[in-house]
Amino acid sequence: RKFHEYEFDIDSAVHGGEIYNWLHALLKNKKYDRIIHFIQKTNETLDNLAKGKIKAKIYGQQKSEWYSYKKENFHKHLDKIFDNDLLQLEKSDDTINLLEFYLSLYTGKDIKTIEQIATLFSSWDLKEKSIRLYNLCLDKLVNEEKPKVKARINKKLAELTA
């Protein structure tokens, strides 16, 4: 319902962070397909606002660059929808689809959620997916001085590839 109120002003919900709360609520209620739908709809709406195909209805129209920036910002902070509930997810095609979809969009630098998904995939016997994500974490850390984090991830990789 809230999403529809902001449908043409979704940049405001992204800017204020409300959208992550809405998506998190859907996660808690296991509405994984709705999360994917609303993320896709958010991206589509931000693209249409940027191109001038639709106009903001509640707040004033912004410049095209604003909407592009908000879309980038949205993808960087998608990990907020998982909060502390990620490791409680149960294996199903829907959860795997949601997590893969999240991973395809996330552009943030923080690896915490990616590492947690890798661990979750490992516990679900999705070894190849888990290895790919641990390697992604290491790639994101390549220029970072985090020897303990790198050692932890390398240990998890070694256990999977032993």
Side-chain angles (χ1 to χ4, degrees):
R1 191 172 154 264
K2 277 294 213 181
F3 188 89
H4 296 292
E5 289 176 28
Y6 281 87
E7 187 172 4
F8 295 99
D9 299 273
I10 201 65
D11 59 302
S12 296
V14 171
H15 183 75
E18 296 100 333
I19 195 160
Y20 307 110
N21 296 334
W22 304 338
L23 295 172
H24 181 77
L26 290 170
L27 182 76
K28 284 183 104 38
N29 288 293
K30 301 180 181 184
K31 305 288 185 186
Y32 309 125
D33 58 332
R34 302 304 297 156
I35 296 169
I36 292 171
H37 169 77
F38 285 126
I39 291 172
Q40 290 171 329
K41 188 73 176 156
T42 298
N43 285 331
E44 178 186 326
T45 302
L46 289 168
D47 287 342
N48 286 336
L49 284 162
K51 293 174 187 172
K53 289 184 177 181
I54 60 174
K55 300 285 183 212
K57 292 193 176 185
I58 301 171
Y59 303 105
Q61 191 73 15
Q62 302 291 328
K63 292 184 180 185
S64 173
E65 297 82 21
W66 168 259
Y67 298 114
S68 298
Y69 169 73
K70 282 295 126 188
K71 183 177 175 183
E72 237 178 79
N73 195 279
F74 177 55
H75 290 186
K76 275 185 191 169
H77 296 95
L78 273 175
D79 57 337
K80 290 180 181 181
I81 67 173
F82 296 111
D83 194 24
N84 296 319
D85 295 324
L86 183 63
L87 297 178
Q88 276 72 51
L89 294 179
E90 295 175 10
K91 182 181 179 183
S92 72
D93 288 343
D94 289 338
T95 54
I96 293 169
N97 288 339
L98 171 63
L99 295 172
E100 290 285 350
F101 182 68
Y102 157 79
L103 291 163
S104 74
L105 296 177
Y106 178 66
T107 57
K109 294 183 191 241
D110 187 22
I111 64 156
K112 179 184 174 199
T113 302
I114 297 169
E115 184 180 356
Q116 287 179 329
I117 293 171
T119 301
L120 197 58
F121 281 174
S122 178
S123 73
W124 292 347
D125 295 322
L126 299 171
K127 184 177 174 179
E128 292 78 23
K129 290 179 185 294
S130 184
I131 291 169
R132 177 177 52 89
L133 294 180
Y134 285 133
N135 281 318
L136 175 62
C137 290
L138 290 174
D139 289 346
K140 286 183 173 276
L141 292 171
V142 76
N143 294 322
E144 301 283 331
E145 289 293 326
K146 296 188 175 185
K148 289 181 181 177
V149 176
K150 289 177 183 179
R152 180 182 68 237
I153 293 171
N154 277 314
K155 181 180 178 192
K156 290 178 180 183
L157 269 170
E159 290 169 358
L160 284 169
T161 57

